[in-house]
Amino acid sequence: MKDKFRDYRIAWQEIALHFEVYILPIKISVKLCENKQIKLIIPDVTVYFIVEPDKVKVSKLLLYLNSDLARSLLKLRAWNARGGYFRHQSTSVGALPLPEQILQCNLWGWIKERVEGIENEELNKVLREIIEKYQEKLVDELVKTLELSKDEYDSIVEWGKWLNEL
């Protein structure tokens, strides 16, 4: 089925300055000696994956996990590594609070119409554009959904940025 994400994963590197997730294919088509072959992608560093077959849920999860709020909260659990890097292990990411509204697709309802017709290969690019263009709207809806004040949100994000400067 075209809209199923059977061959895609939400992925992130274990060690990084800032937690960042992407949507990666698990297979790629490679042309070798005039023959087209399907090859599995095998990361050469520790990479973690989340499997979710629904493109809209994948999109909303990516937007949430790449938010300043989620990144800052993750630093409460992530192990600190040298030079301001953090170890974003599955146990740390799994401990992140995940708003039920994301799973029920109530949060960021307008995202659905923006991603439904997008080809799977273009989704990372489209979601990056959404983050750049609608950052304030995304934050406002997240703050409202989590019943945070804007000051609470700003304090959490500021604290998270401060941790990377140590």
Side-chain angles (χ1 to χ4, degrees):
M1 185 176 212
K2 185 179 176 184
D3 286 339
K4 292 293 181 185
F5 254 56
R6 217 174 296 270
D7 293 334
Y8 288 82
R9 305 289 185 262
I10 294 175
W12 70 91
Q13 294 182 89
E14 179 180 333
I15 299 176
L17 279 172
H18 302 283
F19 181 69
E20 195 162 18
V21 299
Y22 294 92
I23 299 164
L24 295 180
I26 59 172
K27 299 174 186 174
I28 58 170
S29 177
V30 178
K31 188 173 182 179
L32 296 172
C33 302
E34 302 299 322
N35 295 322
K36 198 172 190 180
Q37 298 179 2
I38 302 298
K39 297 290 184 182
L40 290 176
I41 294 180
I42 301 173
D44 64 350
V45 296
T46 304
V47 177
Y48 295 93
F49 301 98
I50 298 173
V51 178
E52 171 56 57
D54 183 299
K55 187 188 296 191
V56 175
K57 284 184 182 179
V58 164
S59 300
K60 290 181 180 186
L61 193 54
L62 184 136
L63 292 172
Y64 173 67
L65 292 174
N66 281 335
S67 73
D68 289 335
L69 178 67
R71 287 178 178 151
S72 296
L73 291 174
L74 181 56
K75 290 177 187 174
L76 290 169
R77 303 270 313 182
W79 291 16
N80 196 326
R82 290 184 186 190
Y85 286 79
F86 288 85
R87 296 181 67 107
H88 305 109
Q89 297 171 315
S90 59
T91 53
S92 303
V93 176
L96 268 176
L98 183 59
E100 187 66 26
Q101 292 84 345
I102 289 178
L103 297 176
Q104 297 171 352
C105 286
N106 296 335
L107 178 63
W108 301 318
W110 53 277
I111 295 296
K112 183 177 181 176
E113 65 189 42
R114 298 224 192 292
V115 301
E116 277 190 327
I118 302 298
E119 292 296 323
N120 296 344
E121 298 79 22
E122 295 294 316
L123 196 56
N124 278 317
K125 179 182 173 199
V126 169
L127 290 171
R128 296 284 170 224
E129 290 169 0
I130 287 172
I131 289 171
E132 288 175 18
K133 189 173 181 181
Y134 298 103
Q135 179 69 26
E136 194 172 313
K137 184 176 181 177
L138 293 167
V139 168
D140 288 345
E141 284 188 54
L142 184 60
V143 166
K144 183 179 175 184
T145 299
L146 297 178
E147 299 177 357
L148 294 171
S149 72
K150 187 69 168 123
D151 287 340
E152 290 170 327
Y153 174 86
D154 290 341
S155 294
I156 293 169
V157 170
E158 183 179 328
W159 175 81
K161 289 178 181 175
W162 173 79
L163 279 175
N164 273 98
E165 294 174 7
L166 293 178

